[in-house]
Amino acid sequence: MTNIRQAFARVCNANMGTFTNIIKQQQPLALPSIRAMSSASTPKQKATATDSPTLDMLYGDNVPISAKKDIMGDVYCKVADRYDAVSDMISMSMNKRWKQRFIEQMQPMPGDKMLDVAGGTCEVARRYLQYQDTVNHDTTSSVHVVDFNDSMLQVGRRRMAQSSWMDNERVTFAQGNAEDLADVPDNSVDIYCISAGMHNLPHPERALREAYRVVKPGGRFACLEYGHMDTPVIGQICRWYWDTGIPFLGQVLANDRASYERLARSVRTFPHQKRFAQAIRHAGFHLPGAGYELYQWGMMVAYIGSKPRTA
């Protein structure tokens, strides 16, 4: 982390003039454009393949949607062994605190079966099981980790290899696609969780439909995802950080600017939290209030809802 802080300080010092200009101008944050949502403004209780609002995204560099899965798969193969360090770098060491808060807001119950999608390194799975052990004093809950990238799953398996959770089969692994969870039965999990994974998907609305399918009636949907800061000055600085700071740190720390540019773009082009909350509701989930909670003014956003018991 010392090297990360030193590198970030170099970025800030080299670009202090940019920060000063941003603060002086106080230009409004320009949110990334996405395709128009469906013309129906009232969310439906359950989406179908034809009426779901589209959340398709482009990288902004002439890369077609159809290529996104393969491109991001290649990126995560390159960064898998240092993914958690990357997350700490991107969040300026706030990542662990966010995930712990996320788990607490889920309010897991004893015996819950959680599906952790895009959870390869097991950072969330580990915190979930620790919460069950220490808060609920429960040893019957479990988590099934699914990730489309085998390199990420290997990191998770190594991390859990010596744990009692692995010995007791409370954590299991499978390679799979969030947009097509073919091996997960309907109405079979108590909690569907995805952390910093939606922005990697070519078609997030398909993943939302799959989430609705596999969650039990009365079960919970929990998504933690990078968001958009609407405060003008902070938002402009954050945009600069994604566009310039993150690729620079990737070059300095890993000699891999291109992969970090891809990661940053996939985050920056993800829909605004208001639109994504609308899409979650459209898939059939109930989200209380505004539908989301901002962490650090919106650098990260938690969406926690439920599937109606009458579904």
Side-chain angles (χ1 to χ4, degrees):
M1 288 305 298
T2 300
N3 291 336
I4 291 175
R5 293 190 182 97
Q6 291 175 346
F8 182 67
R10 288 170 57 189
V11 179
C12 293
N13 291 335
N15 292 273
M16 188 57 66
T18 302
F19 284 137
T20 302
N21 289 335
I22 288 172
I23 293 172
K24 286 181 178 179
Q25 295 169 8
Q26 294 191 18
Q27 298 174 351
L29 175 63
L31 297 177
S33 62
I34 59 174
R35 294 185 186 178
M37 304 286 278
S38 89
S39 57
S41 59
T42 303
K44 299 179 178 67
Q45 281 300 302
K46 187 171 183 178
T48 67
T50 58
D51 66 11
S52 174
T54 180
L55 295 175
D56 291 357
M57 296 166 288
L58 296 174
Y59 282 113
D61 57 358
N62 299 317
V63 175
I65 286 289
S66 58
K68 185 169 186 180
K69 179 182 175 183
D70 291 338
I71 290 172
M72 294 311 294
D74 181 63
V75 167
Y76 278 90
C77 282
K78 292 179 180 179
V79 305
D81 287 334
R82 54 186 183 276
Y83 176 76
D84 289 330
V86 171
S87 296
D88 285 342
M89 172 190 72
I90 290 174
S91 68
M92 300 182 211
S93 300
M94 293 296 294
N95 181 57
K96 290 181 174 63
R97 191 175 301 176
W98 289 337
K99 289 183 177 178
Q100 185 61 39
R101 181 177 177 183
F102 179 56
I103 293 294
E104 292 168 358
Q105 288 184 298
M106 278 186 207
Q107 297 181 340
M109 300 297 290
D112 274 353
K113 178 180 179 181
M114 185 172 85
L115 177 66
D116 186 13
V117 178
T121 65
C122 288
E123 182 65 24
V124 171
R126 181 177 61 82
R127 291 178 182 277
Y128 167 78
L129 291 171
Q130 284 179 339
Y131 181 96
Q132 291 284 26
D133 289 355
T134 59
V135 177
N136 289 335
H137 305 290
D138 171 56
T139 59
T140 62
S141 53
S142 63
V143 57
H144 183 53
V145 180
V146 174
D147 202 297
F148 77 100
N149 189 286
D150 187 59
S151 296
M152 297 286 281
L153 285 173
Q154 289 178 21
V155 172
R157 287 190 181 100
R158 289 197 300 270
R159 177 171 291 179
M160 292 293 206
Q162 304 303 317
S163 71
S164 61
W165 302 319
M166 186 77 97
D167 293 338
N168 296 329
E169 298 184 345
R170 291 180 63 195
V171 57
T172 54
F173 299 87
Q175 189 169 4
N177 182 356
E179 296 179 7
D180 183 14
L181 298 168
D183 294 332
V184 183
D186 295 358
N187 305 315
S188 62
V189 301
D190 298 291
I191 303 173
Y192 173 102
C193 170
I194 182 167
S195 173
M198 281 287 180
H199 70 267
N200 294 319
L201 303 178
H203 305 285
E205 72 277 8
R206 297 179 185 175
L208 292 176
R209 288 199 297 268
E210 280 293 86
Y212 188 88
R213 179 184 65 81
V214 302
V215 172
K216 297 176 182 178
R220 277 145 289 162
F221 170 87
C223 175
L224 187 65
E225 189 53 78
Y226 293 103
H228 297 273
M229 295 183 174
D230 291 338
T231 304
V233 173
I234 297 176
Q236 292 286 0
I237 292 174
C238 186
R239 288 178 61 196
W240 173 88
Y241 178 61
W242 284 116
D243 293 342
T244 305
I246 296 299
F248 176 84
L249 291 175
Q251 180 64 40
V252 170
L253 299 176
N255 194 30
D256 187 4
R257 184 182 186 91
S259 291
Y260 288 76
E261 284 178 339
R262 293 289 187 197
L263 285 172
R265 272 201 195 112
S266 70
V267 169
R268 285 268 285 109
T269 56
F270 193 73
H272 189 274
Q273 45 268 20
K274 290 182 180 178
R275 289 194 173 183
F276 191 55
Q278 180 184 349
I280 294 171
R281 287 178 170 135
H282 197 100
F285 291 107
H286 169 72
L287 293 175
Y292 56 86
E293 180 175 336
L294 302 180
Y295 295 176
Q296 300 301 118
W297 305 287
M299 187 171 184
M300 188 67 79
V301 183
Y303 309 83
I304 298 180
S306 60
K307 181 174 177 177
R309 294 185 180 277
T310 55

